[in-house]
């Protein structure tokens, strides 16, 4: 039901809003991620136009306004009237070819693919080489792929097409390096259920609130530049999540430590330049945000007055929902800020954070969003930023092509020396034999094993809470009843606790970031982590 999905924060036009099942994974069936040669004819021109468009305010704007404005539909999403006349023309042309003895086939498949100025091109599905389809580039990733991923230069491009045109893999062409469905990424669930945000271990999402997204402005840059200078000796942990509510100190509801003293966040400053020169304090990679959705999608109306470049440089945590928790009679209202609470744990225990917002206000993301976020981290690491750990408190069930894309990206990042701490998930299942990633990258000896991925589950209330299996390397133990210390005061929690493996992960990530891991194997690193205590939290294998 499109209306129900709209409530859950899947912000795409109605004609494209689907989450159909394919095997055990959830995808957007009329979107495809393709890795292509940057020299694909017409692509560089489109990318340059994308950069220019990113810097411009919404058409018709003079000065910046906070009121909701109508956003013109980008060329890649022309209305269906043009498609109707194009289809009518194609039908007439085919009839004329048949009438005068033509073969009825479309142009030969050997013809090169060329992208036009608006990012459109016509090409084939692999299983129907006689019918050309109109494809549209939704977005090209701002940062290129590392050459190690496909052995040649490449860039990830998100494509879409009209749902009625069919579904499948694109027919190969000379510049194609790889392709995958655009999967939803969130918290893993048993096969009978759809994805849900990683908020509580046993909860059901009942409402997504309108985004309160805010730009990382000049005052924020000044404030966090000073903070970063004072804390430059602290290790850096990248957090790929819902972002960080970095303007919390400017709101009427103050964020405090448990003892009531003010809490201040510590954001690591990235080097300037590179593929995203303006994103020095983190990055927002969410494609639906960067497109500045058109009305009636009022949940994201706050983005209407912003440029795409401003959104990219603002990893703001707008995650805010109502949820029904198993065993409770009333809903928990206006809870969330998932990435913010992870950052608070890391900051509280002596780690700086580089926030990457790849999950929206409903705590959902897509594979393309995650890959784009990882590209940003790889670029910052190559530019000399001393990122030691990536905290990955998310997961998705991926098919073979999606897994291949994510594996290649994670492998490049870890080969650069960044360790990944992945949450195991909160479903009480064994990960053995599943396709839940990045948690399963922690499995030793498998085809998709990555040595520098440490998968974490949790233990509180006297028992293991979360998923188990051979991929799990370490368990975080909390002495508190009901969950882990949150580092800051928590609404409606007398013990200031938060539940789930999502919040076990940052304790492990901070412990790992403080180690000198040069030349150490995962087994050696884990053996050192279990000797540490981070606040009240201890660890065991």
């Amino acid at each position: 039901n499109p209306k129900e999905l709209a409530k859950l924060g899947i912000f795409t036009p109605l004609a494209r809003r689907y989450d159909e099942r394919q095997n055990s994974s959830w995808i957007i069936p009329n979107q495809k991620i393709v890795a292509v040669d940057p020299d694909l004819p017409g692509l560089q021109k489109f990318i340059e136009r994308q950069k220019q468009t990113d810097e411009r305010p919404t058409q018709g704007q003079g000065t910046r306004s906070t009121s909701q404005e109508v956003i013109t539909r980008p060329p890649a999403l022309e209305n269906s009237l043009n498609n109707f006349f194009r289809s009518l023309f194609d039908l007439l042309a085919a009839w004329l070819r048949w009438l005068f003895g033509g073969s009825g086939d479309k142009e030969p498949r050997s013809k090169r693919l060329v992208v036009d100025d608006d990012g459109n091109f016509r090409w084939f599905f692999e299983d129907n080489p006689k019918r050309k389809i109109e494809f549209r580039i939704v977005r090209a990733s701002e940062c290129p792929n590392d050459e190690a991923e496909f052995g040649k230069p490449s860039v990830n491009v998100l494509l879409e097409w009209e749902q009625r045109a069919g579904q499948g893999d694109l027919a190969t062409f000379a510049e194609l390096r790889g392709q995958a469905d655009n999967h939803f990424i969130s918290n893993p669930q048993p096969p009978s259920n759809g994805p849900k945000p990683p908020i509580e271990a046993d909860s059901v999402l009942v409402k997504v609130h309108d985004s309160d997204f805010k730009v990382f402005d000049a005052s924020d840059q000044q404030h966090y530049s000073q903070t970063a200078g004072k804390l430059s000796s602290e290790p850096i942990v990248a957090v790929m999540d819902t972002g960080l509510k970095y303007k919390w100190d400017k709101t009427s509801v103050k964020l405090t430590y448990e003892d009531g003293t003010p809490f201040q966040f510590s954001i690591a400053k990235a080097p300037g330049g590179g593929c995203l020169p303006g994103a020095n304090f983190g990055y927002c990679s969410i494609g639906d945000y960067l497109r500045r959705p058109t009305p009636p999608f009022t949940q994201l109306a706050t983005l209407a007055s912003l440029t795409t470049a401003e959104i990219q440089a603002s990893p703001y945590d707008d995650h805010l929902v109502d949820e029904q928790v198993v065993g409770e009679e009333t809903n928990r209202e206006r809870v969330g800020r998932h990435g913010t609470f992870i950052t608070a744990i890391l900051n509280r225990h002596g780690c700086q954070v580089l926030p990457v917002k790849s999950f929206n206000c409903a705590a959902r993301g897509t594979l393309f969003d995650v890959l784009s976020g990882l590209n940003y981290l790889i670029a910052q690491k190559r530019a000399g930023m001393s990122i030691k750990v990536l905290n990955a408190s998310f997961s998705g069930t991926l098919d073979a092509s999606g897994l291949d894309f994510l594996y290649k990206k994670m492998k490049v990042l870890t080969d650069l020396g960044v360790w990944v701490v992945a949450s195991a998930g909160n479903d009480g299942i064994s990960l053995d034999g599943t396709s839940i990633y990045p948690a399963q990258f922690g499995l030793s000896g498998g085809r998709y094993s990555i040595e520098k991925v440490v998968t974490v589950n949790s233990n509180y209330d006297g028992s293991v809470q979360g998923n188990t299996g051979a991929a799990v390397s370490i368990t975080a133990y909390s002495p508190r009843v009901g969950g882990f210390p949150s580092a800051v005061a928590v609404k409606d929690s007398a013990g200031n606790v938060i539940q789930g493996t999502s919040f076990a992960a940052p304790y492990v990530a901070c412990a790992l970031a403080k180690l000198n891991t040069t030349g150490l194997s995962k087994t050696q690193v884990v053996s050192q982590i279990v000797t540490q205590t981070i606040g009240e939290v201890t660890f065991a294998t």
Side-chain angles (χ1 to χ4, degrees), residues 153-300:
S154 67
V155 60
N156 285 341
V157 174
L158 181 62
L159 305 178
E160 68 178 11
W161 59 92
E162 294 298 331
Q163 174 72 13
R164 63 189 177 188
Q167 184 178 351
D169 287 338
L170 275 68
T172 188
F173 51 92
E175 295 84 2
L176 182 64
R177 304 286 180 256
Q179 58 184 305
D181 292 320
N182 195 20
H183 294 255
F184 287 115
I185 308 291
S186 58
N187 206 32
Q189 292 296 299
S192 60
N193 297 318
K196 77 175 184 184
I199 308 163
E200 295 279 347
D202 297 297
S203 65
V204 177
L205 181 65
V206 295
K207 180 180 179 180
V208 178
H209 290 272
D210 292 353
S211 170
D212 62 348
F213 191 92
K214 294 177 177 62
V215 165
F216 196 92
D217 58 24
S219 65
D220 297 313
Q221 292 194 34
Q222 181 179 10
H223 170 74
Y224 286 107
S225 291
Q226 294 172 351
T227 304
K230 295 176 183 177
L231 303 173
S232 59
S233 62
E234 293 186 351
I236 298 172
V237 177
V239 175
M240 179 171 284
D241 213 280
T242 59
L244 170 62
K245 191 178 177 182
Y246 40 75
K247 291 181 182 288
W248 206 311
D249 60 337
K250 299 180 182 178
T251 66
S252 58
V253 180
K254 300 302 180 183
L255 194 66
T256 65
Y257 290 108
E258 290 184 83
D259 62 5
T261 56
F263 186 97
Q264 287 193 332
F265 293 108
S266 172
I267 306 177
K269 186 174 182 179
C275 52
L276 285 159
N280 293 335
F281 290 92
Y283 170 52
C284 175
S285 67
I286 302 173
D288 282 336
Y289 281 39
L290 301 179
R291 296 165 74 180
R292 296 174 292 178
T294 59
F297 301 104
T298 56
Q299 281 182 315
L300 297 182

Side-chain angles (χ1 to χ4, degrees), residues 248 317 336-345 486 488-490 498 503:
W248 206 311
D317 188 356
R337 314 296 187 187
H338 189 261
T340 297
F341 279 90
I342 288 173
T343 295
I345 291 171
S486 69
V488 293
V490 178
I498 42 185
F503 304 108

Side-chain angles (χ1 to χ4, degrees), residues 35 88 135 291 433 439 508:
L88 188 63
F135 292 94
R291 296 165 74 180
V508 175

